[in-house]
């Protein structure tokens, strides 16, 4: 996930369609703060665009009144922190907040949607920290794989259950927007589609919702185009030269469980994921697991140097050194890397886009340890 406090505004795309300005008023009190003002703004992950500003008096009281560009998701800025708010026309909200931790300790009166959305973001933050910690621990302590994976799975199931309840309890609510950032849009596409439909029903015309709808349409188009990579379908065979210029085919590896790993020496996320792939290869190679790395490099020296530096010790590395025009990548309709396809011993697809803990869980299920 991205910066979590940017979640609800990551879709904002102002100026893409006609907008109707709205009047809003926010009053309230902030204690434990050194901030001298509050602002209503859009947050873009790295910067703010401010619209309305008001002073905070010595007792922490403030009143904000003004015009915003449209109904949408905004933030209430208090010093270097902010609180996510949903504004509809003629919104009249009251906010009480602890300046020591605005995100965690605030009371919003007048917008149940904003209350629900902020509660979800808090749970999402917690789960993301657990997931990232589990991934880091697996890399640091591979001998504790079973313990770490079990602990993560428990948290994963708990969060999924919470998210399911949240969606049900906030039917057709604008508060559902941050749910999108927790979904695997391939494996949970039906949930994704339902959330988008509900957002359209409840908050159509919001720039963030309109941008989310546009993104959904793009994902759906790509999903429809890549349906041939569905679970249980044969993995398209291919042949490409290895590091020694000798042809290697996917079908040559039939009888093994194969992770087709699309990567490149210049891809930061790929290089960051490599230690996890190496650890899993070393753990399961004797049980019949291997990796077939397809590089989207265009420089052979860089490709070979990265293989050596990252200790990618499996013997199966191929590339035609055409970067994004790599013939295998085009065949598999790869639009971003790292991208993985897990193939069973018969050459059929088990799953796609498995990384980190998810890949570890899949292999543990296959091999039983």
């Amino acid at each position: 996930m991205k910066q979590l406090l940017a979640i609800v505004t990551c879709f904002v795309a102002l100026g893409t369609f006609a907008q109707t300005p709205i009047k809003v008023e926010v009053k309230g009190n902030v204690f434990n703060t050194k901030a001298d003002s509050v602002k209503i703004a859009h947050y873009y992950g790295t910067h703010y665009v401010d619209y309305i500003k008001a002073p905070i008096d010595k007792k922490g009281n403030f009143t904000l009144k003004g015009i915003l560009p449209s109904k949408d998701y905004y933030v209430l800025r208090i010093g270097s922190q902010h609180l996510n708010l949903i504004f509809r026309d003629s919104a009249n909200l009251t906010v009480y907040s602890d300046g020591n931790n605005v995100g965690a300790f605030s009371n919003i009166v007048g917008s149940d949607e904003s209350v629900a959305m902020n509660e979800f973001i808090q749970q999402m933050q917690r789960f993301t920290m657990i997931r990232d910690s589990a991934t880091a621990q697996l890399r640091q302590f591979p001998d504790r794989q079973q313990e770490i994976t079990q602990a993560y799975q428990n948290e994963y199931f708990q969060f999924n259950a919470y998210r399911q309840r949240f969606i049900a309890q906030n039917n057709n609510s604008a508060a559902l927007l941050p749910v999108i950032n927790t979904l695997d849009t391939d494996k949970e596409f039906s949930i994704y589609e339902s959330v988008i439909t509900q957002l359209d029903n409840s908050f159509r015309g919001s720039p963030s919702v309109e941008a989310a709808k546009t993104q959904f349409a793009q994902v759906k188009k790509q999903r429809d185009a890549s349906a041939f990579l569905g679970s249980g379908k044969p993995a398209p065979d291919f042949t490409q030269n290895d590091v020694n210029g000798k042809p290697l085919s996917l079908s040559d590896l039939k009888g093994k469980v194969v992770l087709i790993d699309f990567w490149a020496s210049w891809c930061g996320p790929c290089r960051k994921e490599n230690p996890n792939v190496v650890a899993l290869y070393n753990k399961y190679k004797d049980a019949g697991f291997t990796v077939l790395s397809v590089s989207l490099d265009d420089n052979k020296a860089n490709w070979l140097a990265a293989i050596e530096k990252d200790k990618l010790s499996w013997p199966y590395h191929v590339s035609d050194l055409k970067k994004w025009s790599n013939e295998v990548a085009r065949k598999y309709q790869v639009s971003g890397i790292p991208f993985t396809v897990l193939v069973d011993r018969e050459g059929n697809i088990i799953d796609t886009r498995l990384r980190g803990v998810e890949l570890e869980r899949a292999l543990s299920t296959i091999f039983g340890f």
Side-chain angles (χ1 to χ4, degrees), residues 26-30 38 54-57 60-64 76 78 95:
V26 182
K27 59 184 178 181
N29 179 270
V30 185
V38 293
I56 300 176
D57 68 20
N61 299 310
F62 66 88
T63 299
L64 283 157
L76 181 68
I78 304 173
V95 175

Side-chain angles (χ1 to χ4, degrees), residues 90-104:
S90 301
N92 192 327
L93 310 183
T94 303
V95 175
Y96 303 98
S97 187
D98 182 348
N100 286 330
N101 193 334
V102 171

Side-chain angles (χ1 to χ4, degrees), residues 345-365:
R345 292 179 174 88
E346 287 72 43
N348 298 318
I349 294 171
I350 298 172
D351 210 340
T352 60
R353 294 181 173 86
L354 292 174
R355 298 170 60 189
V357 176
E358 286 76 17
L359 178 58
E360 167 66 27
R361 186 170 67 240
L363 293 177
S364 177
T365 299

Side-chain angles (χ1 to χ4, degrees), residues 138-157:
L138 279 174
R139 291 172 180 164
Q140 187 175 1
F141 307 108
D143 56 316
R144 294 174 52 199
Q145 172 268 325
Q146 186 173 358
E147 171 193 349
I148 295 168
T149 300
Q150 183 62 53
Y152 168 76
Q153 286 181 335
N154 292 339
E155 295 289 347
Y156 174 82
F157 292 133

Side-chain angles (χ1 to χ4, degrees), residues 37-246:
S37 66
V38 293
K39 303 170 185 176
I40 298 176
H42 269 134
Y43 182 47
Y44 292 89
T46 58
H47 67 283
Y48 296 92
V49 174
D50 297 323
Y51 299 105
I52 307 172
K53 179 180 179 180
I56 300 176
D57 68 20
K58 293 182 180 180
K59 294 182 179 180
N61 299 310
F62 66 88
T63 299
L64 283 157
K65 290 183 179 181
I67 305 295
L68 295 175
S70 68
K71 62 180 182 182
D72 202 17
Y73 302 81
Y74 294 85
V75 296
L76 181 68
R77 296 182 62 188
I78 304 173
S80 60
Q81 304 178 71
H82 67 235
L83 181 68
N84 296 286
L85 296 174
I86 298 170
F87 284 110
R88 298 177 181 269
D89 194 17
S90 301
N92 192 327
L93 310 183
T94 303
V95 175
Y96 303 98
S97 187
D98 182 348
N100 286 330
N101 193 334
V102 171
F105 303 107
S106 290
N107 183 25
I108 304 168
V109 180
S111 175
D112 291 342
E113 292 176 315
S114 297
V115 173
M117 180 177 65
N118 279 283
E119 289 177 351
F120 183 85
I121 290 173
Q122 287 293 313
Q123 292 298 318
M124 183 172 60
Q125 283 180 305
R126 175 183 173 276
F127 173 70
T128 300
M129 291 176 62
I130 291 170
R131 183 197 63 190
D132 293 347
S133 175
T135 299
Q137 288 181 46
L138 279 174
R139 291 172 180 164
Q140 187 175 1
F141 307 108
D143 56 316
R144 294 174 52 199
Q145 172 268 325
Q146 186 173 358
E147 171 193 349
I148 295 168
T149 300
Q150 183 62 53
Y152 168 76
Q153 286 181 335
N154 292 339
E155 295 289 347
Y156 174 82
F157 292 133
Q158 288 181 29
F159 179 75
N160 272 8
Y162 165 77
R163 186 182 64 186
Q164 185 175 351
R165 291 194 303 273
F166 180 82
I167 294 172
Q169 292 167 0
N170 292 275
N171 184 46
N172 288 323
S173 169
L176 293 175
L177 185 68
V179 171
I180 295 172
N181 293 74
T182 70
L183 295 172
D184 183 318
T185 57
D186 288 319
K187 301 178 180 64
E188 299 173 309
F189 185 80
S190 61
I191 300 175
Y192 182 27
E193 186 171 34
S194 173
V195 169
I196 291 294
T197 299
Q198 293 185 61
L199 287 170
D200 188 39
N201 291 339
S202 63
F203 213 28
R204 182 180 302 168
S206 152
S208 298
V209 170
E210 296 302 319
K213 287 161 58 180
T214 298
Q215 185 182 59
F216 169 77
Q218 295 171 346
V219 170
K220 186 176 187 302
K221 182 178 179 181
Q222 183 179 14
R223 183 175 184 270
D224 291 343
S226 60
F228 70 98
L229 294 182
S231 178
K233 294 188 176 181
D237 196 17
F238 60 85
T239 301
Q240 201 157 84
N241 287 346
D242 65 13
V243 295
N244 298 311
K246 296 181 178 180

